[in-house]
Amino acid sequence: MKKTILITGCSSGIGYCVAKSLHERGYRVFATARRKESVEILLSEGLESFRLDLMDSNSIHFAFEEVLRRTDGQLYALFNNGAYGLPGAIEDLSRQALRDQFETNVFGWQELTNLVLPVMRKQGYGRIIQNSSVLGFVSLPFRGAYNASKYAIEGLSDTMRLELKGSNIYISLIEPGPITSKFRANAVTMLAKYVDVENSIHQDRYKAVLKRLNKEGPAVPFTLPPEAVLKRVIHALEAKKPHPRYYVTFPTYLFGVLKRILSTRALDVLLAKSGNSN
């Protein structure tokens, strides 16, 4: 039997790349997306696809139940990937802005994971892969909502790993860093939706943020294509004992080392410079 995997956020970027590539590798892939038009594209390319909106519990339950209906109640793996980044100074973010960021990036993931776990416990195996970020363990300025959502995913994943010890269900975190995707374009939309740029004390800084987000080509050095994430996902799916964490890009490796060896103050200096330069 083909190994089955449910993937969120497959309209573009990492999710699309992983869904297509695993399908070609022989997996039975359930590629979900929030927008109907994205689902139609995925279907036209030969993937099994349906809507899953991480902000909508009904949508999450429908997608989960549809997967079980098609697989006779089994699921090998879940790849939580669908997310967006909300740029902005923390003092400019409303309670609703933060709530919406967490609804998609954290609460939706955990609701889906909690549906999947009993299935995996019953069958005696499973893999849950969380697409986190370098910003899940270091913070950059003007990315506070996204930083916080990824820190939350890291904390939940670390806890689940301990609670699932001995169950043959493995939790892995992917920590990419800069990857080619539509992430920046979506961030521009979210900034306009949630932040009153014209009346912010940070108005000039937002102009620099928008310049970076609208820049053609890679916004920062060491940007890799989504295939770099795919390589780690495959290992997390197929290794006998997958790693708890997978670094992907040079910045992730670099900051992973610096976080261990530098004081908080010294690391802050570097992170502030990095955040101001890109």
Side-chain angles (χ1 to χ4, degrees):
M1 292 180 63
K2 289 185 177 182
K3 289 182 177 178
T4 55
I5 181 169
L6 170 60
I7 306 175
T8 66
C10 295
S11 62
S12 63
I14 293 170
Y16 178 79
C17 171
V18 171
K20 290 281 288 183
S21 299
L22 290 182
H23 175 69
E24 293 167 1
R25 196 176 177 86
Y27 283 79
R28 186 177 183 185
V29 178
F30 298 100
T32 67
R34 180 176 57 84
R35 292 181 292 114
K36 181 180 178 182
E37 52 268 36
S38 298
V39 170
E40 290 173 350
I41 291 171
L42 292 164
L43 287 170
S44 72
E45 296 182 359
L47 290 165
E48 293 184 70
S49 183
F50 35 84
R51 284 191 69 248
L52 195 162
D53 183 348
L54 289 163
M55 292 187 73
D56 182 350
S57 287
N58 289 332
S59 177
I60 291 169
H61 281 257
F62 168 81
F64 168 72
E65 290 164 7
E66 182 64 16
V67 168
L68 293 193
R69 185 184 69 80
R70 298 187 189 191
T71 64
D72 293 325
Q74 296 191 355
L75 181 66
Y76 175 68
L78 168 66
F79 181 33
N80 280 315
N81 168 72
Y84 70 87
L86 169 59
I90 288 176
E91 64 186 295
D92 287 334
L93 300 179
S94 67
R95 181 171 184 158
Q96 188 61 52
L98 288 169
R99 181 183 289 116
D100 287 352
Q101 179 78 106
F102 270 68
E103 285 287 354
T104 295
N105 291 18
V106 182
F107 303 149
W109 287 26
Q110 198 59 48
E111 182 173 9
L112 181 57
T113 300
N114 285 353
L115 290 173
V116 165
L117 279 173
V119 174
M120 293 182 173
R121 282 190 179 277
K122 182 178 179 180
Q123 66 195 17
Y125 59 86
R127 304 288 168 100
I128 295 173
I129 305 170
Q130 312 271 61
N131 196 25
S132 182
S133 171
V134 61
L135 298 183
F137 62 87
V138 296
S139 297
L140 289 179
F142 291 85
R143 297 162 176 83
Y146 186 73
N147 293 339
S149 72
K150 291 304 182 183
Y151 269 71
I153 286 298
E154 298 260 334
L156 289 167
S157 299
D158 285 343
T159 305
M160 283 193 294
R161 189 177 65 252
L162 297 173
E163 293 172 351
L164 292 167
K165 187 173 178 62
S167 68
N168 202 31
I169 303 170
Y170 292 93
I171 308 288
S172 295
L173 286 157
I174 312 287
E175 296 166 329
I179 297 291
T180 304
S181 70
K182 293 183 178 179
F183 190 85
R184 283 184 289 149
N186 292 334
V188 171
T189 300
M190 294 303 169
L191 179 63
K193 179 178 180 179
Y194 289 107
V195 178
D196 184 0
V197 172
E198 296 302 319
N199 291 307
S200 171
I201 193 172
H202 300 289
Q203 181 182 153
D204 291 340
R205 178 58 196 274
Y206 284 131
K207 292 177 181 177
V209 169
L210 286 167
K211 183 178 180 181
R212 172 180 62 82
L213 293 174
N214 288 312
K215 179 182 177 182
E216 292 291 333
V220 295
F222 310 111
T223 298
L224 295 179
E227 286 76 11
V229 175
L230 170 66
K231 181 179 177 181
R232 274 67 171 187
V233 170
I234 290 173
H235 190 276
L237 288 171
E238 299 181 0
K240 185 176 180 180
K241 292 186 177 180
H243 302 322
R245 280 177 165 77
Y246 291 87
Y247 289 178
V248 181
T249 62
F250 175 75
T252 313
Y253 283 99
L254 175 63
F255 284 118
V257 172
L258 294 178
K259 187 174 176 67
R260 290 194 294 270
I261 65 175
L262 294 181
S263 69
T264 299
R265 288 180 179 178
L267 185 60
D268 278 354
V269 171
L270 292 177
L271 291 170
K273 288 182 178 179
S274 179
N276 287 327
S277 64
N278 57 69

